[in-house]
Amino acid sequence: MTKNLRVKSSKLVDETYRISFKFNGTTYYGFKGDTLASALLANNIHLVGRSFKYHRPRGIMTAGSEEPNAIVQLHNGTSRTEPNVRATEIEIYEGLVATSQNCWPSVKFDIGGINNFLSPLLPAGFYYKTFMWPASFWEKYEYFIRKSAGLGKSPDVPDPDIYEHKYIHCDVLVIGAGISGLIAAKTAAKNGFKTLLVEEKSYLGGSTIYQDSEFFKINNQNSASWLEKEINEVKKIENLEIKTRTSVAAFHGYNFLLARENLTDHLPIEQRENKTRQRLLKIRAKKVITATGSIERPLIFDNNDRPGILLSSAIKKYADLFGVACGEKNILFTNNDSVYETAISLIQKGIKVQAIIDNREEIDSKLIKETEKNNIKIYKGYTIVDTFGYKRINSVSIMKLSKDGQKVIGSKENISCDSLGISGGWTPAVHLFTQSGGKLKFRDDDQVFIPNTYPSNQISIGSCNGDFTLDEILINTPKLLKEFLNIKKTEYENIEIYSAFNKSKRNIWLLPSNKIVGKTKSFVDFQNDATAKDIKLALREGFRSIEHVKRYTTTGMGTDQGKLGNMHALGIISETASSKMGELGTTTFRPPYTPLTFGTIVGRNVGKYFDIIRKTPIHEWHVENKAEFENVGQWKRAWYYPQNGENMHEAVQRESKAARDSAGILDASTLGKIDIQGTDASEFLNRVYTNAWSKLEIGKCRYGLMLNEDGMVYDDGVTTRLDENHYIMTTTTGGAATVLGKLEDYLQTEWPELDVYLTSVTDHYATISVCGPNSKKIIQKVIPEIDLSDKDFPHMSFKNSKIGKVKCRVMRISFTGEQSYEINIQANYAKSVWENCMEAGKEFNITPYGTETMHLLRAEKGFIIAGQDTDATMTPIDLQMDWIVSKKKFDFIGKRSLYRSDTIREDRKQLVGLITDNPEEILEEGAQIVADMNKTPIEMLGHVTSSYFSPNLKKSIALGVVKGGKNMMGQKLIIPMEKKQINVTVTDPVFLDKENKRLNA
Amino acid sequence: MFLINCPFCGEREQSEFKAGGEAHIVRPKQPTELSDDQWAEYLFMRKNIKGIQFERWNHIHGCRKWFNMVRDTSNDEIKAVYKMGEKPPVK
Ligand SMILES: [Zn+2]
């Protein structure tokens, strides 16, 4: 089993630097520069996983990011375990531990493998058809599916690594550092453009960098040596930045791109400490040059998925770049000239090529002649009809193709092998181009989609633009660059090129077999186990759109997004349904091009940096006094202050009682505050609130409701007239930003003629609210100079005053129904004023209370909380607040909507009070309200919006919205709960002090 | 992500802006004189065009000014931006 399949003279690996790693529990050795895939292949390991549906053994198939099979889990301790890593991309490092994914209990003995024998029962749409019915069985199915189709494990502890985001602005971004990308980057940078070149691999040069044979020459040097000199020059250019191991994940509109730069994944673990692991680059480029290359196509024939079957270009790359032979008896199978390049490379390295099977009948090129010179048998006009070997391919059956390519003829011949390289031609990697909104066109000559129209300032060059051969690239790329960069000349004008590659190709999307399609397993999507048979079945069942066929068969829906087989899926649809390829379109390629880690996506926005935290200037006092906090938007608000081991209920009951019996104090600094000035300020308020403002005297406060234009309440608060043309508006804590935005919108767009200026001052002033029968005495102690007599300073009025030398505003307004004063003071003095109030209130048992008690107190009084008792469907009339809607005003925002046919319906949901028959029973907020439990279906009349046990009334109280509730006073309703029904009576929403005696006391 | 040329600040990232729906819908001067249908036309009816659309945008994390944009919704090309109260520079 373990053999050394290294051959000499590799480009990339350093054979003097040995690295040990573990795969599925066994220790192996590779060299620095190896990927996990190349190191495994060097150890003669092809079998690396099981397929998703049939659990068929699968091997390494490619040498790049298009890999569908070799998906592994990395284990670097529990917190750094990572699923879905492509073995073809991860560079090995000392101590790497990896296991196969999607196999249970082991890759060699896989229980799900039985699905392979059951496969006649697992056609396309199998999961949709079977597991949908009966619905009650789903739990059992789910257990089975999840257990056997494990797609890796995510770590269950926080990620210890550092990730970051970085913005980059450049003149020209070049994606891909193959030969065309390098030419583009060099040309752009040398012409004065600030250029960024990104390359997903660790090295520059693409596939040309190991194209070192006499059959490909540039200026009389082999193409690899020519390119190496170019790279050395490129590295020296000043305004050219090069980033390797950087993969562009998304190409959005307006040349905005996201790329992931991998900084430490290739380093030994101990060298990664305190370094940024991955960086998300947010690139805005004036011009983008896409040079993403092309991906070799597989061929679609029976059992084309066995371990040991690779893309022909991957076999060449493993030999040339990593010095690894994928097998000792290689067969190559093709419909074009590419495999002959592979054959010549293998011959040069002394690796045996058993035979070449070529779909084409009449072929002739210098590459083929060279191959034949080495006594390699070429079967011309043949196809493979089957392959053998369970965990590793051991032979193939071949037959002659008919003239039209639709059938096989003659007799079968078997050839043994241990590796099979396949090539179905090349598919331009147009994923990023189409992500950006680019439209493709179909080129019939060689059956490829290539870029047609560009949505932004960008071009595609090289093989992603359909220029596959060296001469096409070197002739077309400079031409395209001159036009795109608007330059007169490039240094590639009189270059001499020699390419032995012949472009002839015989394209057959689904190769014929001596068996009927229904009896074959010709895989189109290797990761998701979609076969040609599945696609044909989907078409028979009536699916026509490529997007529907994709979802029904799951073709192209794996982590590789079908980079290999999507074209064949299209081809088979086109042939079966007799429609033209160009008219079918392609499925949508969505970002990311290759999977991103969550760490990269969130960057530094984790833990306490997840979101902005807003704290009031009194916050530290709340912390010192053991407050529990609640999040209100971005604010941290004191929720309640438990004492002596109280739970929340006990603390809130105590706080609520104290506030009404003597004195309570609340930090109300989070309320939104908007300073409004200008000669039209009164008129402006008239238009944005439902009630009238023109006659409000200076020094008075007024409560207002704001509606949307559709008549629905969206915010409320008290606004105070500070002076003739000067008001201060308060909004709810959560509504502050939207209210300001809305007011600005109307001022700028509907009423630009109004002389009004708005300034948010929420953070500038802190608000301390002292309430209760003793509040007046406390405020008097804190501000001795102020006259608090009811005559001089009645409810709903305001005074300017001073605490020491510091100016403050005092409002007598109340959200609790108690006599109550609010001190507004410059934020940096707030904590000391708060402490003054606590000191002054000591003799009155002043009790700090949090938002929960505030909510309870206002509910006793029937005051609404916009957003809790209202949603976007409640008018002031629905809230039984008709008194606040001016009948006289000509207009205000939302007025006209209050008498639309829908808003005047009597059976709208309306706000009411609810009293439980059992005064100890507290309703659940959100619980449904019904009248009749016997009628089916049970009609839902509404729901509970606020509910508390009132310590002052000594009973349970609640607010709710009920259809037609206004006319149901005294009526009995039912709150059905999971295990019981609670009987309630509809009441007025004001439970306490209807006459407002306490406010004015 | 768009690059939007705020008429007051110049080119800025889309993340600094908020979209505000269809432009050039004038709030009726005397809403109380409108029928339910006429009011509903103003309140609810929006075009949602595939193609050239006139839109309101707000530079909410910048100068906070509202302005208008002409955008082709089929390919997100911004044809023009102009201040409130100005006539659209393109049709
Ligand atoms: Zn601006």
Side-chain angles (χ1 to χ4, degrees):
Chain A
M1 183 79 197
T2 44
K3 282 182 194 164
N4 186 359
L5 290 168
R6 289 282 170 184
V7 288
K8 281 286 169 198
S9 77
S10 70
K11 285 255 180 195
L12 203 66
V13 300
D14 176 359
E15 293 184 17
T16 62
Y17 194 133
R18 208 166 78 135
I19 289 173
S20 75
F21 65 98
K22 250 186 188 168
F23 181 69
N24 286 340
T26 308
T27 300
Y28 300 97
Y29 295 94
F31 295 125
K32 190 175 163 64
D34 263 327
T35 61
L36 178 57
S38 69
L40 286 171
L41 290 170
N43 285 281
N44 199 26
I45 293 168
H46 280 255
L47 173 64
V48 286
R50 293 274 174 164
S51 71
F52 180 65
K53 200 158 90 183
Y54 304 126
H55 288 248
R56 285 166 70 99
R58 289 281 164 81
I60 296 158
M61 212 179 153
T62 74
S65 59
E66 68 272 29
E67 176 61 34
N69 295 339
I71 312 287
V72 300
Q73 178 107 22
L74 289 185
H75 306 267
N76 299 327
T78 50
S79 56
R80 286 191 170 97
T81 185
E82 188 179 351
N84 299 324
V85 175
R86 287 166 300 283
T88 51
E89 289 197 301
I90 185 80
E91 296 165 55
I92 59 165
Y93 48 83
E94 190 58 45
L96 179 147
V97 180
T99 54
S100 294
Q101 239 170 250
N102 198 27
C103 57
W104 174 71
S106 82
V107 70
K108 286 177 189 157
F109 175 75
D110 183 289
I111 281 192
I114 200 154
N115 282 5
N116 191 23
F117 303 107
L118 293 176
S119 67
L121 305 174
L122 289 169
F126 171 75
Y127 287 85
Y128 293 122
K129 287 170 184 162
T130 310
F131 295 127
M132 290 310 288
W133 185 90
S136 58
F137 271 38
W138 171 247
E139 281 178 28
K140 290 190 183 71
Y141 292 143
E142 192 188 13
Y143 174 81
F144 162 75
I145 293 168
R146 290 206 189 283
K147 185 85 184 170
S148 54
L151 288 175
K153 287 180 183 60
S154 55
D156 49 13
V157 289
D159 188 336
D161 285 319
I162 306 166
Y163 302 84
E164 60 189 30
H165 290 179
K166 185 182 178 185
Y167 284 89
I168 297 181
H169 298 264
C170 58
D171 295 329
V172 176
L173 168 70
V174 182
I175 311 167
I179 183 166
S180 48
L182 285 162
I183 289 173
K186 190 177 171 196
T187 306
K190 285 208 157 175
N191 280 283
F193 294 94
K194 185 186 162 201
T195 305
L196 173 66
L197 172 65
V198 297
E199 165 56 48
E200 67 176 354
K201 306 224 158 53
S202 60
Y203 58 92
L204 306 178
S207 57
T208 312
I209 201 65
Y210 50 92
Q211 193 177 48
D212 51 356
S213 72
E214 56 191 287
F215 300 97
F216 301 95
K217 283 185 173 172
I218 303 171
N219 283 347
N220 280 321
Q221 308 160 57
N222 78 47
S223 48
S225 329
W226 179 86
L227 191 61
E228 218 154 294
K229 281 177 202 146
E230 282 291 294
I231 291 170
N232 287 336
E233 281 181 41
V234 160
K235 282 180 177 164
K236 287 179 203 143
I237 304 174
E238 206 152 87
N239 56 336
L240 172 62
E241 188 181 1
I242 302 171
K243 283 185 181 291
T244 53
R245 299 189 177 96
T246 301
S247 155
V248 173
F251 190 165
H252 295 295
Y254 290 78
N255 285 351
F256 182 73
L257 299 95
L258 298 174
R260 185 227 19 230
E261 185 179 13
N262 223 331
L263 298 161
T264 62
D265 281 357
H266 60 289
L267 299 175
I269 301 284
E270 69 275 6
Q271 285 178 32
R272 303 184 189 180
E273 283 307 311
N274 301 319
K275 285 181 189 152
T276 299
R277 181 187 171 205
Q278 290 172 354
R279 202 179 270 150
L280 186 71
L281 307 176
K282 300 178 176 183
I283 307 166
R284 183 74 78 171
K286 292 202 178 98
K287 290 167 176 283
V288 177
I289 298 172
T290 305
T292 43
S294 51
I295 297 170
E296 193 166 30
R297 290 180 188 171
L299 289 164
I300 312 300
F301 53 95
D302 194 13
N303 290 315
N304 60 344
D305 66 326
R306 299 192 187 280
I309 302 180
L310 293 91
L311 295 179
S312 146
S313 60
I315 292 181
K316 171 166 161 49
K317 184 170 178 178
Y318 284 121
D320 288 342
L321 207 52
F322 298 97
V324 173
C326 290
E328 292 167 311
K329 286 191 287 181
N330 295 279
I331 293 181
L332 300 171
F333 179 27
T334 189
N335 66 6
N336 70 92
D337 253 15
S338 297
V339 302
Y340 297 95
E341 279 189 69
T342 305
I344 291 165
S345 265
L346 296 185
I347 296 161
Q348 280 175 354
K349 295 192 167 50
I351 305 168
K352 188 175 180 195
V353 179
Q354 192 90 334
I356 294 177
I357 295 128
D358 197 322
N359 286 171
R360 299 170 297 176
E361 187 83 41
E362 281 159 33
I363 41 173
D364 179 36
S365 76
K366 286 181 187 130
L367 287 174
I368 294 169
K369 285 206 180 84
E370 174 69 16
T371 310
E372 279 176 328
K373 250 194 254 166
N374 285 280
N375 296 321
I376 293 169
K377 167 103 179 154
I378 302 174
Y379 292 85
K380 295 174 186 174
Y382 274 78
T383 183
I384 293 182
V385 290
D386 204 352
T387 69
F388 306 92
Y390 186 58
K391 287 172 199 163
R392 174 81 177 262
I393 190 168
N394 59 32
S395 63
V396 301
S397 286
I398 63 167
M399 286 177 85
K400 185 106 177 135
L401 277 167
S402 65
K403 271 231 150 48
D404 62 0
Q406 301 293 308
K407 291 196 297 286
V408 282
I409 47 178
S411 55
K412 257 200 287 191
E413 189 175 330
N414 276 13
I415 314 169
S416 71
C417 65
D418 61 355
S419 161
L420 170 66
I422 54 179
S423 175
W426 296 83
T427 298
V430 293
H431 309 70
L432 293 173
F433 164 78
T434 55
Q435 272 184 31
S436 79
K439 297 276 179 285
L440 299 166
K441 68 180 169 206
F442 192 69
R443 191 165 72 189
D444 286 307
D445 300 354
D446 53 352
Q447 308 273 299
V448 293
F449 281 104
I450 52 171
N452 188 22
T453 53
Y454 296 101
S456 63
N457 200 345
Q458 56 163 302
I459 49 164
S460 293
I461 57 169
S463 63
C464 74
N465 193 36
D467 290 340
F468 295 114
T469 62
L470 201 56
D471 40 343
E472 283 173 336
I473 290 168
L474 280 158
I475 292 164
N476 292 338
T477 302
K479 270 192 215 158
L480 288 165
L481 288 174
K482 275 197 282 189
E483 198 192 325
F484 182 64
L485 300 173
N486 195 18
I487 51 176
K488 289 213 175 62
K489 225 172 128 337
T490 70
E491 57 189 275
Y492 307 99
E493 307 292 319
N494 300 312
I495 215 154
E496 263 180 63
I497 309 141
Y498 171 72
S499 167
F501 196 90
N502 184 315
K503 278 177 68 178
S504 92
K505 177 170 145 186
R506 186 182 191 186
N507 198 78
I508 304 170
W509 293 115
L510 172 60
L511 290 159
S513 165
N514 56 331
K515 288 183 244 168
I516 58 164
V517 173
K519 298 273 181 210
T520 63
K521 278 212 195 74
S522 311
F523 287 90
V524 174
D525 182 321
F526 296 87
Q527 193 174 100
N528 271 348
D529 270 357
T531 61
K533 181 175 76 176
D534 292 331
I535 292 168
K536 291 199 171 233
L537 175 68
L539 290 163
R540 273 209 309 283
E541 293 189 356
F543 292 94
R544 282 295 174 271
S545 151
I546 172 69
E547 294 285 358
H548 290 153
V549 173
K550 165 181 166 175
R551 279 157 186 81
Y552 193 59
T553 61
T554 71
T555 304
M557 288 176 72
T559 55
D560 60 339
Q561 291 195 28
K563 290 186 179 81
L564 292 183
N566 269 354
M567 283 301 294
H568 304 82
L570 277 172
I572 292 166
I573 293 171
S574 142
E575 276 173 2
T576 312
S578 308
S579 43
K580 274 194 180 156
M581 282 289 279
E583 288 159 15
L584 272 177
T586 61
T587 56
T588 316
F589 299 110
R590 292 195 172 80
Y593 177 64
T594 52
L596 289 176
T597 59
F598 280 110
T600 312
I601 294 166
V602 298
R604 294 282 174 112
N605 298 337
V606 289
K608 63 178 177 176
Y609 303 114
F610 178 70
D611 194 11
I612 291 162
I613 295 172
R614 298 177 82 183
K615 295 174 185 171
T616 77
I618 310 164
H619 185 85
E620 290 314 313
W621 190 93
H622 306 317
V623 173
E624 285 158 22
N625 287 272
K626 310 279 184 294
E628 292 291 331
F629 288 88
E630 101 172 301
N631 295 328
V632 183
Q634 291 169 331
W635 287 102
K636 293 275 173 210
R637 292 201 74 177
W639 193 10
Y640 58 96
Y641 301 80
Q643 287 181 358
N644 312 317
E646 284 173 330
N647 62 24
M648 174 164 157
H649 178 74
E650 290 158 352
V652 169
Q653 295 290 307
R654 172 181 52 76
E655 291 171 12
S656 304
K657 193 105 180 42
R660 293 223 191 272
D661 289 350
S662 178
I665 181 167
L666 171 82
D667 180 0
S669 307
T670 62
L671 286 181
K673 303 174 209 64
I674 302 170
D675 184 275
I676 303 174
Q677 301 190 42
T679 53
D680 293 317
S682 303
E683 172 60 20
F684 180 62
L685 291 175
N686 261 336
R687 296 186 192 186
V688 300
Y689 277 128
T690 61
N691 45 353
W693 290 78
S694 313
K695 289 185 187 140
L696 184 71
E697 291 168 39
I698 294 168
K700 294 289 181 195
C701 316
R702 185 163 284 171
Y703 172 76
L705 273 189
M706 254 180 228
L707 310 187
N708 278 319
E709 205 67 271
D710 62 4
M712 305 303 157
V713 172
Y714 87 96
D715 207 71
D716 66 345
V718 170
T719 295
T720 303
R721 189 165 197 175
L722 302 172
D723 208 336
E724 179 63 27
N725 297 321
H726 191 187
Y727 291 83
I728 180 113
M729 172 188 279
T730 57
T731 73
T732 60
T733 298
T738 36
V739 170
L740 179 68
K742 201 170 174 77
L743 299 183
E744 287 178 330
D745 184 354
Y746 274 88
L747 267 183
Q748 289 179 33
T749 66
E750 298 295 348
W751 310 316
E753 72 280 6
L754 293 185
D755 176 40
V756 176
Y757 300 88
L758 306 173
T759 310
S760 168
V761 291
T762 303
D763 294 322
H764 307 64
Y765 295 103
T767 305
I768 297 162
S769 174
V770 179
C771 79
N774 288 314
S775 57
K776 191 182 285 182
K777 294 174 196 155
I778 296 165
I779 297 294
Q780 194 71 74
K781 283 172 77 179
V782 175
I783 318 176
E785 60 172 66
I786 201 167
D787 180 356
L788 294 176
S789 68
D790 291 341
K791 188 167 159 291
D792 199 61
F793 198 175
H795 181 55
M796 297 307 271
S797 57
F798 133 88
K799 280 186 177 187
N800 279 314
S801 191
K802 269 185 180 170
I803 301 174
K805 286 180 182 168
V806 183
K807 282 195 266 182
C808 66
R809 292 174 181 152
V810 184
M811 279 91 168
R812 184 169 170 185
I813 51 178
S814 175
F815 190 42
T816 59
E818 291 303 312
Q819 188 185 88
S820 168
Y821 297 88
E822 279 187 5
I823 302 172
N824 282 271
I825 189 147
Q826 199 178 308
N828 49 334
Y829 296 106
K831 190 166 171 241
S832 103
V833 173
W834 175 279
E835 282 160 352
N836 287 359
C837 292
M838 288 304 296
E839 186 58 35
K842 221 177 215 170
E843 56 176 309
F844 306 106
N845 182 34
I846 191 170
T847 302
Y849 66 90
T851 49
E852 193 62 22
T853 293
M854 175 185 83
H855 286 175
L856 190 161
L857 295 172
R858 65 85 208 181
E860 288 179 337
K861 190 66 183 144
F863 290 151
I864 60 153
I865 292 185
Q868 177 166 340
D869 301 299
T870 71
D871 50 24
T873 67
M874 302 292 287
T875 70
I877 320 300
D878 297 336
L879 293 171
Q880 304 216 44
M881 290 172 78
D882 310 47
W883 54 270
I884 204 170
V885 180
S886 165
K887 306 272 180 308
K888 289 183 199 148
K889 277 202 294 184
F890 172 70
D891 191 15
F892 57 82
I893 296 172
K895 177 173 171 125
R896 175 60 186 84
S897 291
L898 294 180
Y899 56 94
R900 290 177 56 240
S901 58
D902 184 58
T903 44
I904 54 173
R905 276 190 298 116
E906 289 288 312
D907 63 343
R908 289 177 63 81
K909 284 183 186 169
Q910 291 146 354
L911 186 79
V912 294
L914 299 167
I915 297 289
T916 47
D917 286 5
N918 172 3
E920 302 292 322
E921 183 102 62
I922 306 170
L923 298 177
E924 254 181 54
E925 289 174 358
Q928 293 293 314
I929 303 170
V930 305
D932 186 352
M933 290 293 287
N934 297 318
K935 199 179 81 180
T936 49
I938 298 173
E939 192 192 358
M940 301 295 181
L941 294 180
H943 64 276
V944 178
T945 59
S946 295
S947 173
Y948 306 91
F949 185 81
S950 160
N952 300 296
L953 298 162
K954 300 193 174 56
K955 63 177 181 187
S956 155
I957 56 164
L959 299 172
V961 291
V962 177
K963 276 185 193 166
K966 242 187 237 185
N967 296 320
M968 291 170 101
M969 290 303 129
Q971 202 170 311
K972 294 276 184 194
L973 292 174
I974 300 161
I975 316 282
M977 300 304 291
E978 196 183 355
K979 293 201 172 92
K980 61 182 173 185
Q981 294 176 14
I982 303 169
N983 297 315
V984 297
T985 306
V986 179
T987 68
D988 188 89
V990 184
F991 300 103
L992 179 108
D993 187 29
K994 285 195 172 56
E995 304 78 26
N996 290 337
K997 280 184 194 152
R998 304 176 74 98
L999 277 176
N1000 300 309
Chain B
M1 194 158 66
F2 304 168
L3 196 60
I4 298 173
N5 190 13
C6 170
F8 305 92
C9 309
E11 282 193 337
R12 296 289 189 278
E13 295 278 332
Q14 186 188 345
S15 56
E16 292 185 14
F17 296 83
K18 182 179 99 170
E22 193 178 328
H24 302 298
I25 294 175
V26 181
R27 189 174 188 272
K29 284 275 175 284
Q30 297 184 315
T32 46
E33 290 180 7
L34 301 182
S35 68
D36 268 12
D37 283 350
Q38 286 169 321
W39 180 245
E41 187 65 33
Y42 160 71
L43 197 55
F44 301 121
M45 297 307 171
R46 298 295 182 268
K47 292 202 190 91
N48 196 22
I49 293 162
K50 182 180 180 185
I52 301 293
Q53 178 161 287
F54 297 83
E55 301 174 333
R56 284 154 31 94
W57 283 76
N58 183 214
H59 194 186
I60 188 163
H61 300 297
C63 64
R64 292 190 71 88
K65 288 280 195 187
W66 283 89
F67 59 92
N68 291 321
M69 177 190 289
V70 189
R71 181 171 68 101
D72 186 336
T73 60
S74 67
N75 60 12
D76 280 340
E77 190 191 335
I78 298 170
K79 303 272 185 192
V81 290
Y82 53 104
K83 291 177 185 170
M84 280 291 158
E86 289 179 355
K87 285 227 168 67
V90 287
K91 271 189 191 158

